[in-house]
Amino acid sequence: MTRSIIDHARAESESRGREAGLCPDCETETIVHDPDRGERVCEECGLVLTEDPIDYGPEWRAFNAQEHDELSRVGAPLTQSMHDRGLTTTIDWRNRDANGHSMSADKHGQLHRLRVWQERIRTKNAGERNLKYALSEIDRMVSALGVPKPVKETASVIYRQALDQDLIRGRSIEGVATSALYTACRKEGIPRSLEEVTAVSRVDQREIGRTYRYVADELDINLEPTNPRQFVPRFCSELDVDKDVESKAIEIIDETTNQGLHSGKSPTGFAAAAIYAAGLLCEETIPQRAVADTAQTTVVTVRNRYREQLEAIDQQPAT
């Protein structure tokens, strides 16, 4: 009984020591990892805490992406951006066997027929055909906008939810797909304006805005208003302005938004005006037309907003 209590106390002490990063024997913070032996050892007393860890990675090494793809023995991970989540088989178009040898002409015709039937049976009903077309539209727009893969995954999930709740009825597939992408951009914090999304879509801006509000309301998606400062780095990069101008523009936006000056105004127009105002204060010439074209807004908007911003921060450009 006494030995059992001692062992239990020692186990608890070792557990607390591991959680605190201390050696359970000498209670010092000298635990190091030995990569050659695969052990965690205390430098002070030599106690081996863990040994022979299980490596769940592949037993082979790859030094570039091509070698990784060639040596990998598993398929691609599941993805929401494909209607079947990437689970179905794809028949390669190169007409080669497992050893890389070219097949005969008779086999070519047989493989072609197999590809046709494989493509047909991938979509079992109208819902899957709807989803397949919508996700291909999202993929096309994502490529045109140059947004990262997580945005595509999020947009695909939003469209799937809209389809499951029958929100597509009475609306175009392109409209719902575009609104899902715009929602995903805002949800992931990727600065893309409604005008930019409309430019790569096949529906007009009014329909996108109306569908976006409807889908967000039905799916209970609550999004914060877009902060104009999110657009500043991209606009400054396209305009090729100095870093001082970018920093000053962000400073102007922070100060004016704290005063509530941005309320009810277009975030892209507000960001463009801040960049123009920052250029004046930093004595760097930036044409109003260039700023307006970059932000896809009008020169009048830039002119009105930058004057309001300069008045709000009580600064005037050097004459």
Side-chain angles (χ1 to χ4, degrees):
M1 177 67 72
T2 304
R3 185 176 181 83
S4 176
I5 295 173
I6 293 174
D7 291 342
H8 180 69
R10 182 178 297 171
E12 285 189 350
S13 175
E14 291 180 358
S15 177
R16 288 194 298 269
R18 290 192 191 98
E19 292 176 358
L22 302 176
C23 174
D25 193 19
C26 62
E27 297 185 352
T28 58
E29 297 182 359
T30 55
I31 299 173
V32 295
H33 175 70
D34 184 355
D36 295 330
R37 301 176 64 88
E39 298 174 343
R40 290 178 67 240
V41 186
C42 176
E43 281 187 324
E44 186 69 22
C45 64
L47 178 67
V48 179
L49 278 76
T50 57
E51 59 182 341
D52 298 328
I54 299 174
D55 184 5
Y56 294 97
E59 76 281 5
W60 42 263
R61 293 190 299 171
F63 299 97
N64 54 48
Q66 182 178 358
E67 287 185 7
H68 185 276
D69 292 339
E70 290 175 352
L71 295 172
S72 179
R73 296 185 293 274
V74 297
L78 293 179
T79 174
Q80 299 293 335
S81 60
M82 298 179 67
H83 76 283
D84 53 13
R85 293 181 172 85
L87 289 173
T88 56
T89 303
T90 301
I91 301 175
D92 194 14
W93 57 271
R94 288 175 290 187
N95 295 326
R96 295 183 180 274
D97 60 17
N99 296 320
H101 301 147
S102 181
M103 295 184 176
S104 63
D106 295 337
K107 289 290 185 181
H108 287 187
Q110 183 180 355
L111 285 173
H112 176 71
R113 288 191 296 273
L114 287 174
R115 287 192 200 95
V116 172
W117 279 106
Q118 174 68 13
E119 192 65 26
R120 289 175 180 174
I121 64 176
R122 287 184 67 183
T123 52
K124 297 179 292 186
N125 50 44
E128 287 196 358
R129 286 193 294 272
N130 178 315
L131 188 60
K132 182 180 179 182
Y133 176 69
L135 295 181
S136 66
E137 275 293 291
I138 291 175
D139 183 64
R140 180 187 64 81
M141 290 185 289
V142 163
S143 178
L145 287 171
V147 295
K149 187 177 179 180
V151 174
K152 181 168 70 170
E153 292 289 328
T154 303
S156 302
V157 171
I158 293 172
Y159 189 88
R160 287 177 183 274
Q161 293 173 346
L163 184 62
D164 292 340
Q165 297 190 24
D166 201 23
L167 305 182
I168 317 295
R169 189 182 300 274
R171 292 170 178 81
S172 68
I173 298 175
E174 294 90 347
V176 179
T178 308
S179 67
L181 178 57
Y182 179 64
T183 305
C185 287
R186 294 191 57 178
K187 196 170 183 179
E188 295 292 331
I190 303 299
R192 292 296 184 274
S193 65
L194 187 59
E195 290 79 11
E196 289 176 296
V197 176
T198 303
V200 299
S201 176
R202 291 192 171 101
V203 292
D204 58 34
Q205 184 172 330
R206 180 177 298 180
E207 181 180 349
I208 296 172
R210 184 170 59 246
T211 308
Y212 156 73
R213 289 188 293 270
Y214 172 74
V215 171
D217 183 59
E218 290 294 323
L219 297 181
D220 196 24
I221 300 175
N222 298 316
L223 299 172
E224 295 291 330
T226 303
N227 192 331
R229 68 176 293 169
Q230 293 180 333
F231 295 94
V232 172
R234 183 160 59 92
F235 289 170
C236 287
S237 176
E238 293 180 13
L239 290 167
D240 194 22
V241 297
D242 194 73
K243 276 291 182 182
D244 293 337
V245 175
E246 181 179 337
S247 301
K248 189 64 178 179
I250 292 176
E251 181 183 326
I252 293 171
I253 289 176
D254 290 341
E255 189 171 344
T256 53
T257 51
N258 288 336
Q259 300 178 25
L261 190 65
H262 71 298
S263 180
K265 297 179 176 64
S266 168
T268 53
F270 201 81
I275 294 172
Y276 181 74
L280 294 177
L281 296 176
C282 294
E283 299 183 1
E284 181 171 343
T285 303
I286 309 174
Q288 287 186 2
R289 172 60 62 184
V291 178
D293 291 344
T294 301
Q296 295 185 358
T297 186
T298 63
V299 175
V300 176
T301 299
V302 175
R303 187 180 302 128
N304 293 338
R305 296 291 172 268
Y306 98 84
R307 289 173 178 169
E308 295 174 356
Q309 291 170 348
L310 291 179
E311 290 178 3
I313 64 175
D314 195 22
Q315 291 190 35
Q316 294 299 324
T319 56

